[in-house]
Amino acid sequence: MASSLVATYFLPLILFYIWATKSQSSSNNAATSTTALPGCNASQKPRGLSFRDSSLGSDELKLLDFVLLATVDGRFHGLNRTTGRMLWSMDEPVGNSQEVGTNLKQLVSSEHAGLRKANDFFLDDLDDPASTETYIIEPQSGVIFVSPADGKREGPLHRLPFTMQQLVDMSPFRMDHRTFVGRKRTSVITLDLASGELVEALEPEQQCKEAFVKVDRTEYHVSVFSSGQVTQNLTYASYGSKGIDKEMQYHWRRTPDNFYHQSTPDGTLLMFKTDEKEPFHSFINLKHPVVAVFDAVSIAERSDPLLLSQPKPALSDLYPSRPRELRELSKQDEITWVGRVGDSLYALSQTTFPLVVFSQLPKLPTEIHEIDDLGDGLKMACTSLNCLTGPHRTEAATMSMFES
């Protein structure tokens, strides 16, 4: 099912990759993978681009030749910033950390009363919209999208005016006959950037503190109640650098070397260098989409690297030679891609993940998702997770949509 979706919706973008890759293939083939992180040898200094930026609160900074990636399944991956080669990945066994790494749960988890895991159909009374609408969360942003309550695939997703974080802060919160009850918890992950191993999996003699970073994992849990029953259980987690100066992150609006990393829904990560005539640099494939990218910066005042969330450039910076195509894309309906990780759905909006704009919307109507009226108020609807995967038109939700 997943492979057919990629072939259907991403064929034009894949062809675009091939076109862009031709101009870069010769130079990328000669690239070699080198780590740019500090080693356990005190004489080994981290390699990278030195720069000065007083707005970041320090005059002595160095952008390390390393990028930390997080995929929607909750795992981390280390990338060489210059060559675009993978240094390590939690998708592959790394020392003692593989078992611990698998305990990093996916960033979005949901239990939907009206959805099944298998690709099948069932009869359901659709009189209560709250029992059939599906809440889908976007990783890292916490934005919530709601699928059509009538189960029609061609209907648009509606973007709620509240994020998971806001619902937790307002908990308990009532909207019409729905009640949202939430909580949150934060845990700290200590990661060795040089090897990709979690520190709790390392023996003391194996630890290399110069490359340790602490990453906050904040989890938000929201239960949706309707008519006294739980209709949805939603869990969303986000990664952030431990103890980061918010003002420093605020001023990190561009990268000093003009390298940027953008993911597509099929797990392809594209790398761009926006100060070049043709910014496309290279790409790699991962098992799941990348939902968070962190730049690593060395600061004179601290021994451990600092992680900053990488800013997102405009599409016009990534594809400066294709203004006409971008103008046409900007006129189309807003698109949100719905994917599946495990037994949960997640959303990727074109606002947070710009390359989603290249997705092709399905032709309407989509026969497999049609709802047939069988009389007596009973209707047949596709209720599996796979029924909702793929690109969707998106609209902002209004409060009237949730009134009985």
Side-chain angles (χ1 to χ4, degrees), residues 4-171:
S4 62
L5 280 173
V6 171
T8 301
Y9 301 125
F10 274 91
L11 182 57
L13 185 54
I14 291 172
L15 294 175
F16 184 72
Y17 293 164
I18 296 174
W19 168 83
T21 306
K22 289 181 179 178
S23 62
Q24 299 293 334
S25 57
S26 58
S27 60
N28 288 341
N29 287 338
T32 57
S33 178
T34 58
T35 182
L37 292 167
C40 291
N41 185 344
S43 63
Q44 181 182 350
K45 296 182 179 180
R47 294 186 296 276
L49 174 67
S50 297
F51 65 99
R52 293 179 177 273
D53 191 334
S54 58
S55 67
L56 297 178
S58 177
D59 290 332
E60 297 181 41
L61 304 102
K62 181 171 289 187
L63 179 65
L64 301 182
D65 198 10
F66 177 88
V67 176
L68 181 65
L69 311 173
T71 44
V72 71
D73 60 344
R75 296 188 175 193
F76 292 104
H77 316 266
L79 194 70
N80 184 291
R81 186 180 191 92
T82 304
T83 65
R85 299 296 181 89
M86 188 69 73
L87 299 174
W88 53 261
S89 171
M90 285 187 176
D91 285 340
E92 303 296 334
V94 181
N96 299 322
S97 70
Q98 180 68 3
E99 181 178 352
V100 179
T102 57
N103 293 331
L104 292 176
K105 298 179 180 179
Q106 60 198 47
L107 298 182
V108 172
S109 179
S110 53
E111 298 175 4
H112 306 284
L115 286 177
R116 295 184 176 185
K117 300 177 184 178
N119 187 20
D120 58 7
F121 295 78
F122 84 120
L123 294 177
D124 191 14
D125 189 343
L126 302 179
D127 289 338
D128 181 11
S131 66
T132 56
E133 62 194 10
T134 302
Y135 290 67
I136 306 170
I137 309 166
E138 181 173 65
Q140 284 302 108
S141 73
V143 173
I144 304 172
F145 298 87
V146 184
S147 70
D150 57 11
K152 290 185 177 181
R153 174 64 170 82
E154 62 268 25
L157 293 180
H158 291 112
R159 185 177 54 255
L160 282 186
F162 308 109
T163 65
M164 285 285 289
Q165 299 93 312
Q166 291 171 325
L167 287 178
V168 168
D169 291 340
M170 296 186 296
S171 174

Side-chain angles (χ1 to χ4, degrees), residues 369-391:
H369 298 107
E370 284 294 296
I371 295 180
D372 299 324
D373 192 344
L374 302 182
D376 300 325
L378 293 177
K379 298 182 180 182
M380 177 175 284
C382 183
T383 59
S384 79
L385 293 171
N386 290 336
C387 291
L388 293 175
T389 57

